[in-house]
């Protein structure tokens, strides 16, 4: 008999890292004496920071009311940018030495600038220009140029020189992390997926806040064990989650463990899911160009994926279409952060594509500060409607 995934120490470790991410960073800093830098967007080339001996940690919220941010951010900016700033203003990130962002949406940019200006202990900040039009033929060259300046700024701040060897070693660590997480996602293609969306969320988000080398050790152990893992829960409807950053434990628990109808997330297309790690750096003599190509040509965020002509020619839509087919996705939940303009702009075309593919879908508007129980009836109604359609086939 194989072990139940819920009992795996690797899953419990990911969960602990996720829930105690601030404690982890503080202990890492005490143990190593190194610097910790928070980043606001997954387009930041973490390898450059890591090569300088820095621990990059993604700045996340904690699902709390963010009235403290009202003097600094517009009320109609997304709850995620409010929540991340609130965490800084409340002192949760008092261990950070620096903060950075790769050019992102207007909302996150404002959160970053307010964070850098008003959060105590921040001694270094860097706004990294990054192309919005990642489909532009000159995007990688532009990104490389900006990565050169970013590297120089990190070297000046830390008083270190980042050699090609340092970058090579950092790239190897990060590539290994990506490859291992992609292997874990491959196991979810099976009729009986080895892990749930909740487990996958713990895995991916913990990778954004702990030392990748340490994360790799646990990942390797998990990949070895997964072939023998058994589950005592019914798979039910195979869902794909598409949209904004979503690390809401309660939403995953509600849909996968808390409904009258069984359901399982088999894939997450967001920046706390596959968009973060899908695709490795193709190493070459020019390390910064290799990095630039990976970040430019990764599965793009809606804020970046601009192309001439038809929406369906965009790389993100092509990726979603492949995943639906390869992972045998039966239905899609589009989870858009409230007031998130880039994702909202994509939704009409995304719905059109899903309709043409014959994939049922449901749009949920997320607010990190609001309970998710209200979504239960809507998700169950979607599953019920799918069953009714089967009656007439």
């Amino acid at each position: 008999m194989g072990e139940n995934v819920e009992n795996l120490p690797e899953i419990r470790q990911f969960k602990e890292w996720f829930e105690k991410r601030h404690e982890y960073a503080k202990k890492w800093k005490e143990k190593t004496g190194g610097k910790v830098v928070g980043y606001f967007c997954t387009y930041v080339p973490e390898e450059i920071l890591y090569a300088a001996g820095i621990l990059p940690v993604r700045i996340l919220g904690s699902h709390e009311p963010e009235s403290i941010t009202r003097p600094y951010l517009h009320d109609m900016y997304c709850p995620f940018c409010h929540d991340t700033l609130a965490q800084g203003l409340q002192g949760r990130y008092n261990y950070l030495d620096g903060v950075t962002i790769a050019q992102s949406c207007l909302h996150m940019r404002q959160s970053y600038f307010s964070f850098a200006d008003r959060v105590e202990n921040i001694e270094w900040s860097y706004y990294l220009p990054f192309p919005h039009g990642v489909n532009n033929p000159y995007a990688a060259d532009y990104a490389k140029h900006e990565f050169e300046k970013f590297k120089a700024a990190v070297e000046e701040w830390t008083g270190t020189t980042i050699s090609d060897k340092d970058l090579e070693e950092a790239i190897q660590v990060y590539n290994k992390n990506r490859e291992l997480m992609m292997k874990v996602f491959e196991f979810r293609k099976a009729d009986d997926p080895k892990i749930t969306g909740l487990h996958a969320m713990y895995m991916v988000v913990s990778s954004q806040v702990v030392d990748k080398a340490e994360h790799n050790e646990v990942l390797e152990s998990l990949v070895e064990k997964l072939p023998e893992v058994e589950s005592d829960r019914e798979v039910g409807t195979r869902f794909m989650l598409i949209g904004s950053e979503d690390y809401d434990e309660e939403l995953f628990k509600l849909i996968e463990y808390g409904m009258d109808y069984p359901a399982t997330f088999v894939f997450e297309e967001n920046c706390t899911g596959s968009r973060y790690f899908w695709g490795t750096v193709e190493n070459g003599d020019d390390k910064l160009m290799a990095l630039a190509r990976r970040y430019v040509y990764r599965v793009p965020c809606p804020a970046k994926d601009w192309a001439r002509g038809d929406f369906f020619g965009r790389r993100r839509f092509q990726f979603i279409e492949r995943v639906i087919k390869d992972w045998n996705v039966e239905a899609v939940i589009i989870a858009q952060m409230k007031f998130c303009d880039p994702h909202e702009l994509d939704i009409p075309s995304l719905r059109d594509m899903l309709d043409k593919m014959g994939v049922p879908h449901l749009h949920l508007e997320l607010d990190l500060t609001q309970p998710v129980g209200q979504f239960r009836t809507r998700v169950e109604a979607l599953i019920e409607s799918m069953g009714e359609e089967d009656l007439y086939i």
Side-chain angles (χ1 to χ4, degrees):
M1 288 288 289
E3 190 170 6
N4 190 304
V5 67
E6 305 288 348
N7 299 324
L8 291 179
E10 293 82 4
I11 297 297
R12 293 201 298 270
Q13 180 64 80
F14 294 146
K15 184 175 187 289
E16 181 180 341
W17 279 336
F18 168 76
E19 293 177 343
K20 298 180 179 180
R21 50 190 177 271
H22 298 304
E23 291 87 341
Y24 175 90
K26 291 174 183 177
K27 289 178 181 178
W28 181 94
K29 193 171 181 177
E30 291 174 2
K31 180 176 66 176
T32 67
K35 295 181 181 295
V36 182
V37 169
Y39 64 93
F40 275 82
C41 176
T42 57
Y43 277 96
V44 169
E46 294 176 60
E47 291 91 336
I48 293 174
L49 296 169
Y50 196 81
I54 295 169
L55 175 67
V57 299
R58 187 169 183 188
I59 296 176
L60 300 167
S62 65
H63 300 74
E64 297 175 356
E66 68 282 327
S67 56
I68 191 174
T69 63
R70 297 305 178 191
Y72 314 113
L73 298 178
H74 196 287
D75 283 353
M76 290 191 68
Y77 281 5
C78 78
F80 180 67
C81 77
H82 276 279
D83 201 7
T84 51
L85 176 58
Q87 297 308 297
L89 296 175
Q90 291 170 344
R92 305 282 171 77
Y93 282 99
N94 59 3
Y95 53 85
L96 292 182
D97 300 288
V99 65
T100 185
I101 189 174
Q103 182 168 295
S104 183
C105 70
L106 176 65
H107 300 187
M108 291 310 301
R109 281 209 308 264
Q110 186 58 44
S111 180
Y112 158 76
F113 283 121
S114 296
F115 195 108
D117 287 344
R118 301 185 179 277
V119 174
E120 295 182 1
N121 302 320
I122 300 297
E123 63 182 57
W124 180 82
S125 62
Y126 194 95
Y127 178 78
L128 173 64
F130 192 92
H132 275 319
V134 292
N135 297 309
N136 187 296
Y138 304 105
D141 290 331
Y142 177 88
K144 181 203 168 182
H145 176 69
E146 293 300 336
F147 284 8
E148 288 173 345
K149 293 194 288 185
F150 180 67
K151 174 176 172 285
V154 171
E155 289 174 324
E156 181 181 4
W157 174 48
T158 59
T160 61
T161 298
I162 302 172
S163 67
D164 274 0
K165 184 175 182 294
D166 295 328
L167 281 175
E168 168 72 22
E169 291 174 354
I171 288 170
Q172 288 179 357
V173 171
Y174 271 68
N175 271 353
K176 184 175 183 178
N177 194 255
R178 293 169 180 134
E179 289 166 353
L180 288 168
M181 288 200 286
M182 284 190 283
K183 285 182 180 179
V184 173
F185 268 50
E186 285 289 321
F187 283 110
R188 304 171 74 189
K189 287 180 175 179
D191 292 339
D192 183 14
K194 299 298 184 180
I195 65 171
T196 67
L198 178 65
H199 303 139
M201 184 277 291
Y202 289 146
M203 176 185 74
V204 178
V205 179
S206 66
S207 79
Q208 299 179 341
V209 295
V210 305
D211 189 315
K212 287 289 195 295
E214 191 173 349
H215 199 263
N216 285 345
E217 293 178 3
V218 180
L219 271 174
E220 283 185 304
S221 177
L222 178 65
V223 169
E224 288 178 4
K225 292 180 180 179
L226 278 181
E228 304 303 321
V229 161
E230 293 182 356
S231 176
D232 58 4
R233 61 185 299 279
E234 189 177 349
V235 176
T237 303
R238 298 173 64 90
F239 275 111
M240 179 179 184
L241 182 65
I242 295 177
S244 310
E245 54 284 305
D246 185 4
Y247 49 98
D248 192 326
E249 286 181 282
E250 296 309 312
L251 180 64
F252 284 99
K253 289 177 180 177
L254 171 73
I255 294 175
E256 294 187 306
Y257 298 92
M259 300 196 306
D260 291 335
Y261 301 101
T264 303
F265 286 111
V266 297
F267 204 95
E268 296 80 37
E269 189 277 333
N270 53 29
C271 63
T272 45
S274 62
R275 275 210 311 269
Y276 172 66
F277 64 84
W278 214 262
T280 57
V281 178
E282 294 182 5
N283 220 339
D285 292 336
D286 190 334
K287 308 301 180 189
L288 290 180
M289 177 55 84
L291 281 173
R293 288 182 177 279
R294 188 270 160 183
Y295 282 91
V296 165
Y297 298 128
R298 53 165 263 193
V299 181
C301 167
K304 304 290 188 185
D305 192 21
W306 296 102
R308 295 177 182 173
D310 186 347
F311 266 84
F312 303 119
R314 291 167 58 179
R315 286 192 280 120
R316 177 174 178 246
F317 279 55
Q318 293 170 352
F319 179 75
I320 290 170
E321 184 177 11
R322 288 197 303 273
V323 168
I324 289 172
K325 294 175 181 177
D326 293 347
W327 271 258
N328 192 25
V329 172
E330 296 173 324
V332 165
I333 290 180
I334 305 169
Q336 170 225 335
M337 194 64 63
K338 186 178 181 182
F339 302 138
C340 179
D341 297 332
H343 280 88
E344 192 169 11
L345 183 62
D346 263 7
I347 288 173
S349 296
L350 181 56
R351 284 171 165 170
D352 286 347
M353 185 182 80
L354 295 173
D355 286 340
K356 289 178 180 178
M357 295 180 69
V359 178
H361 51 87
L362 175 65
H363 173 213
L364 302 178
E365 188 176 64
L366 301 179
D367 185 335
L368 291 174
T369 64
Q370 299 297 321
V372 299
Q374 58 180 311
F375 296 143
R376 173 175 175 168
T377 301
R378 296 176 61 192
V379 177
E380 289 185 339
L382 173 65
I383 296 174
E384 283 183 357
S385 69
M386 293 169 61
E388 290 170 359
E389 290 174 5
D390 291 341
L391 293 175
Y392 299 100
I393 293 177

